[in-house]
Amino acid sequence: MPFQIVMNLIIAIMWMFLSESYTLPSFITGYLIGIFLLLLLNRFIPDTFYLRRFYKILALVYLFIKELITSNIDIVKLVYQRKPEFEPGIFALPTDLKSNWEITLLANLISLTPGTLSVAVSQDNTHLYIHAMNIDDIDETINYIKSTFENAIMEVTR
Amino acid sequence: MIETWIDIIFNIIIAIFLLSGTFFLISSSIGLIRFPDVYTRLHATTKASTLGIAGLLIGAFLFLFVEHGIISGKLLLAIVFTLLTAPLGAHMISRAAHRVGIKPVTKQRSDEYEKAIQKEKQQQK
């Protein structure tokens, strides 16, 4: 990945020299041309295209914002019910994520999703303890977290 | 004529952002009062207040941009940092509350973390 970024920068600077205008706009056009060339020659350069990871990060941010808004609507509904009906409880979520950074990100995402709040991480980093508003549909929640967040985080970091 | 219409539309958008932000903030504080224990209260405060603050800041950002032509990066940074820090704060508060010994309000006594702590203590003995 660093190799591709360096290649892209070199192409941009070459473009600046070729067009003999040393300004920011010409650098940006050069950078765009570099992205296009790297995309074209993707098969001959080691590693996958580096903006693919950038795209995954954008997808993760989109997921984050979507979940934030839905969870807000859920909590506002609960707040304005005449008698709030929920069954709180704490459950354990086994995770496959390893590094501290990934687990922090997962805990953050969980805290901002509908009806869940991360309470603690186990000593050996294998389980997250999560406080849920509705303890009855735990299995559904676990499946949802595993299939969306863990996958999205793994695609960014690995 | 067209410019006044564009102004009106921008004003409406800004008003929508500001009003929704204040609405979420108010409902988070009402939730803080109404819910039964620490954990459910944290649910209300973290979620609703992050979106509330984000709405207010986006409204302020758009207002500054449309009225004065200022692009205020600080407001956008503030949104990013609230999104990063609010769940962390909730995590630490709820963990500390649990360690101190506050039991979550449950009918079914479903508390996996309590069991894990008990197991740790038994292993240490």
Side-chain angles (χ1 to χ4, degrees):
Chain A
M1 197 168 99
F3 172 72
Q4 291 191 2
I5 294 174
V6 170
M7 280 279 285
N8 208 337
L9 284 174
I10 288 172
I11 293 169
I13 291 166
M14 270 169 68
W15 176 258
M16 274 163 71
F17 276 94
L18 281 174
S19 58
E20 294 214 333
S21 66
Y22 308 101
T23 55
L24 188 65
S26 73
F27 179 79
I28 291 169
T29 45
Y31 203 86
L32 290 178
I33 289 169
I35 288 172
F36 177 68
L37 284 177
L38 282 178
L39 199 60
L40 210 63
L41 301 174
N42 197 10
R43 280 193 296 158
F44 310 105
I45 299 169
D47 282 348
T48 50
F49 186 51
Y50 78 95
L51 283 179
R52 190 178 294 277
R53 182 169 283 189
F54 183 71
Y55 171 73
K56 296 286 184 204
I57 293 172
L58 280 188
L60 189 65
V61 169
Y62 168 72
L63 182 75
F64 189 76
I65 291 169
K66 202 186 76 182
E67 290 297 324
L68 182 64
I69 290 171
T70 52
S71 75
N72 270 287
I73 291 166
D74 276 16
I75 209 89
V76 166
K77 270 184 199 160
L78 265 184
V79 166
Y80 290 116
Q81 268 172 16
R82 189 161 293 168
K83 279 186 180 171
E85 291 171 0
F86 43 72
E87 277 286 320
I90 296 178
F91 66 92
L93 171 88
T95 83
D96 303 324
L97 300 174
K98 293 284 182 293
S99 67
N100 286 336
W101 191 80
E102 288 169 337
I103 289 175
T104 311
L105 200 59
L106 182 68
N108 257 5
L109 280 170
I110 284 170
S111 283
L112 291 177
T113 49
T116 50
L117 179 82
S118 65
V119 172
V121 182
S122 69
Q123 296 276 326
D124 48 354
N125 281 3
T126 54
H127 285 75
L128 277 173
Y129 296 101
I130 295 168
H131 182 270
M133 274 296 202
N134 284 311
I135 200 79
D136 294 329
D137 42 295
I138 307 176
D139 294 330
E140 209 176 298
T141 320
I142 288 178
N143 278 335
Y144 183 69
I145 289 170
K146 284 233 162 235
S147 61
T148 51
F149 297 136
E150 275 203 10
N151 283 342
I153 291 172
M154 272 185 188
E155 274 174 353
V156 169
T157 53
R158 287 174 198 172
Chain B
M1 190 63 197
I2 296 170
E3 284 173 1
T4 57
W5 274 109
I6 291 173
D7 267 1
I8 289 169
I9 290 168
F10 267 117
N11 281 338
I12 289 171
I13 292 170
I14 292 166
I16 287 171
F17 270 114
L18 292 178
L19 285 175
S20 60
T22 42
F23 170 71
F24 280 118
L25 280 177
I26 287 172
S27 30
S28 86
S29 7
I30 292 173
L32 182 66
I33 298 168
R34 288 196 65 191
F35 285 165
D37 68 337
V38 190
Y39 308 100
T40 42
R41 284 178 175 177
L42 276 174
H43 273 278
T45 46
T46 50
K47 284 164 199 159
S49 63
T50 41
L51 194 69
I53 292 169
L56 281 183
L57 289 175
I58 291 171
F61 176 80
L62 282 177
F63 175 76
L64 281 179
F65 181 65
V66 173
E67 294 287 318
H68 303 288
I70 302 168
I71 296 176
S72 173
K74 280 179 215 163
L75 293 176
L76 297 181
L77 268 185
I79 294 172
V80 173
F81 280 114
T82 46
L83 284 181
L84 284 178
T85 50
L88 278 180
H91 179 89
M92 290 326 289
I93 292 170
S94 57
R95 186 170 182 274
H98 205 290
R99 290 261 156 180
V100 165
I102 299 169
K103 298 273 184 293
V105 176
T106 56
K107 287 171 192 161
Q108 304 165 351
R109 292 269 143 236
S110 46
D111 191 347
E112 301 269 341
Y113 187 45
E114 185 65 41
K115 289 172 197 163
I117 290 175
Q118 297 292 344
K119 209 181 264 181
E120 266 174 39
K121 278 181 184 168
Q122 279 178 2
Q123 280 171 359
Q124 279 172 3
K125 282 173 191 171

